[in-house]
Amino acid sequence: MAIYLDNNVGLKIATVDLSEYITSITLTQTFDEVETTTMGQSAHVFSKGLESSTLAVDFLNDWAAAKVGATLQAAYGTSVTALIVPVKGSPTVVSATNPLYTVSILINNLTPVGSGGPGDYASSSMTFTCTSTVAYATSGTF
């Protein structure tokens, strides 16, 4: 069984590598359930509907050019591509044990100031709606 520490996940948003600013990331793949129950059935019957996945990310804020704040602000209100790999290396090798997930996300919310108090790192927690299906690949480039 291949297990790994979840401490080196790779994330690119709009081609910008933001991996070093992530403290938590969750890609949740879900589909709508469409009821297809007909007369005479004794239980509800459901079919797969449209995909309605989300990407939740906790960032350490950085407002420098091509970092978290600038990347998200430039993409605000648009859909951009996100690339995710469970283990980011140098170079990152996409394989059956390190798949590449590709999805379009709507940057529909920002927390530019974030949270934290005196002595804390400035951080932001955001959940983005996926505007495409999540593509899974065992080859390709991160």
Side-chain angles (χ1 to χ4, degrees):
M1 169 163 61
I3 59 172
Y4 64 95
L5 290 175
D6 203 13
N7 65 347
N8 200 18
V9 174
L11 172 66
K12 285 184 181 178
I13 293 180
T15 72
V16 179
D17 191 343
L18 299 176
S19 305
E20 65 184 296
Y21 302 99
I22 299 170
T23 59
S24 176
I25 184 168
T26 304
L27 176 63
T28 304
Q29 291 181 261
T30 58
F31 287 94
D32 294 336
E33 296 175 358
V34 178
E35 186 166 1
T36 55
T37 308
T38 59
M39 299 299 253
Q41 293 181 309
S42 60
H44 289 277
V45 177
F46 294 94
S47 296
K48 175 181 135 184
L50 298 175
E51 186 165 346
S52 57
S53 300
T54 58
L55 177 65
V57 185
D58 293 347
F59 292 104
L60 294 175
N61 290 347
D62 188 330
W63 294 275
K67 301 299 181 195
V68 176
T71 299
L72 295 177
Q73 190 65 55
Y76 185 60
T78 66
S79 288
V80 294
T81 300
L83 303 174
I84 305 129
V85 289
V87 181
K88 183 175 182 280
S90 181
T92 299
V93 177
V94 176
S95 66
T97 58
N98 194 37
L100 173 67
Y101 298 90
T102 304
V103 66
S104 290
I105 57 173
L106 175 62
I107 307 297
N108 57 352
N109 67 96
L110 292 179
T111 312
V113 175
S115 63
D120 293 338
Y121 286 111
S123 61
S124 297
S125 298
M126 290 172 260
T127 300
F128 304 112
T129 302
C130 297
T131 59
S132 71
T133 59
V134 177
Y136 171 89
T138 56
S139 63
T141 305
F142 171 69

